[in-house]
Amino acid sequence: MNITIQKFIAKYRAAFGEGAPLPVAFGYSDKAATEVRKIPRCMVGAIRKVCNGEPLTLSAGNVLCGGGGLYTAFAPMPDRVPVFVSETEHYKQTKEQVKEYIDRLGIRLSEKPYLNFVRMDCIANMDEVEGIIFFATPDVLSGLCSWAFYDNNDDDAVCTRFASGCCSIVTLAANENAEHGRRCFIGMLDPSARPLVPKDELTFTIPACRFKEMAETMEHSALFQKAYTIVRKRINGEMPKMQ
């Protein structure tokens, strides 16, 4: 990655304006980015607050949700998860489908004790970053997808997959990064986690390996062409609202 973090942020602000929150970098580490504090049972709300500037550190000790422990790779799947997902939440028809889905994820327990989430302007480099999370309105998501499609002609350049909120933010991108893949992921479609983020936001997560490519193409993509310039104005309240 030839572009520096600060140069990326400057390009990001030029593309999206001040109306879009800065993205959040996450990665596993032997060192906590901040005090390991107690968090609500679902971690998604705490992750969203990182956009305000304060880092978050997760560990086996403060991830209290059984699914969250699994999807952050701090703990194996609790026996109750397949039944809960199928018979309580009704997100899958059978518990066997849940088991098959989790097996396909191939989650390996983390060898490092901490999972840090830090706003992009507060990191020095990409050394321990697994992925970059954008909390995006439809207008911002339009730009992020256009950017991802620019140099990737694969049908799955941008994916939406069945996943809990934390799985869609962390697991899918971490797995893709480990495989040096090029897919980006739209997430936060999980009804259980949606109340913890603004009603008009989804997430767009770029694996670190793919981000290093995309950072080099950003200024050449549609983000800096006429069509998206108009969208940028709406993101930043510079256009009259549609009737």
Side-chain angles (χ1 to χ4, degrees), residues 11 147 150-151 210 213-221:
K11 288 185 180 181
W147 177 25
Y150 177 68
D151 68 337
R210 176 66 175 133
E213 294 180 338
M214 290 175 59
E216 302 294 340
T217 66
M218 191 175 192
E219 62 188 330
H220 306 294
S221 73

Side-chain angles (χ1 to χ4, degrees), residues 1 5 20 33 37 39 41 59 63 66-67 93 109 115 118 127-128 154 158 171 190 195-196 206 208 213 234:
M1 180 177 177
I5 300 297
R37 299 181 296 269
I39 60 170
R41 185 169 180 82
S59 71
V63 176
Q93 189 173 33
L109 294 185
L115 177 57
V118 183
D127 289 352
E128 292 188 318
D154 293 344
V158 176
T171 315
D190 174 10
L196 301 174
I206 307 177
E213 294 180 338
R234 187 162 71 172

Side-chain angles (χ1 to χ4, degrees), residues 148-149 152-159 182-185 204 210:
F149 293 142
N152 187 349
N153 214 30
D154 293 344
D155 291 337
D156 60 354
V158 176
C159 297
R182 305 186 76 213
R183 295 179 296 179
C184 299
F185 300 94
F204 187 90
R210 176 66 175 133

Side-chain angles (χ1 to χ4, degrees), residues 50-61:
V50 177
C51 292
N52 298 331
E54 187 173 355
L56 170 70
T57 294
L58 300 180
S59 71

Side-chain angles (χ1 to χ4, degrees), residues 26 28 43 63 65-78 81-82 85 89 98 101-102 105 107-109 115 162-172 174-175 190:
F26 74 91
Y28 293 93
M43 70 186 75
V63 176
C65 169
L70 166 67
Y71 296 125
T72 53
F74 285 133
M77 181 185 72
V81 165
V85 173
E89 295 182 307
V98 180
Y101 158 74
I102 292 173
L105 286 175
I107 299 171
R108 297 180 181 179
L109 294 185
L115 177 57
F162 170 74
S164 68
C166 54
C167 180
S168 70
I169 291 173
V170 176
T171 315
L172 301 180
N175 284 355
D190 174 10

Side-chain angles (χ1 to χ4, degrees), residues 23-180:
V24 172
F26 74 91
Y28 293 93
S29 179
D30 291 317
K31 183 179 179 181
T34 187
E35 178 187 355
V36 182
R37 299 181 296 269
K38 182 179 179 180
I39 60 170
R41 185 169 180 82
C42 180
M43 70 186 75
V44 168
I47 295 172
R48 177 60 178 83
K49 290 179 181 177
V50 177
C51 292
N52 298 331
E54 187 173 355
L56 170 70
T57 294
L58 300 180
S59 71
N62 70 346
V63 176
L64 304 180
C65 169
L70 166 67
Y71 296 125
T72 53
F74 285 133
M77 181 185 72
D79 292 338
R80 62 182 176 81
V81 165
V83 173
F84 181 75
V85 173
S86 61
E87 297 181 11
T88 300
E89 295 182 307
H90 292 263
Y91 292 151
K92 284 292 184 181
Q93 189 173 33
T94 68
K95 63 183 180 182
E96 288 74 24
Q97 286 179 318
V98 180
K99 291 177 182 177
E100 179 185 353
Y101 158 74
I102 292 173
D103 285 345
R104 287 204 310 268
L105 286 175
I107 299 171
R108 297 180 181 179
L109 294 185
S110 174
E111 297 178 356
K112 297 186 177 182
Y114 302 113
L115 177 57
N116 295 317
F117 295 81
V118 183
R119 199 172 68 183
M120 197 75 177
D121 60 336
C122 299
I123 65 172
N125 55 59
M126 295 284 292
D127 289 352
E128 292 188 318
V129 175
E130 295 278 356
I132 309 294
I133 308 163
F134 299 78
F135 289 87
T137 63
D139 280 349
V140 174
L141 192 61
S142 167
L144 293 169
C145 289
S146 297
W147 177 25
F149 293 142
Y150 177 68
D151 68 337
N152 187 349
N153 214 30
D154 293 344
D155 291 337
D156 60 354
V158 176
C159 297
T160 300
R161 293 174 55 183
F162 170 74
S164 68
C166 54
C167 180
S168 70
I169 291 173
V170 176
T171 315
L172 301 180
N175 284 355
E176 191 76 2
N177 190 51
E179 296 171 2
H180 305 286

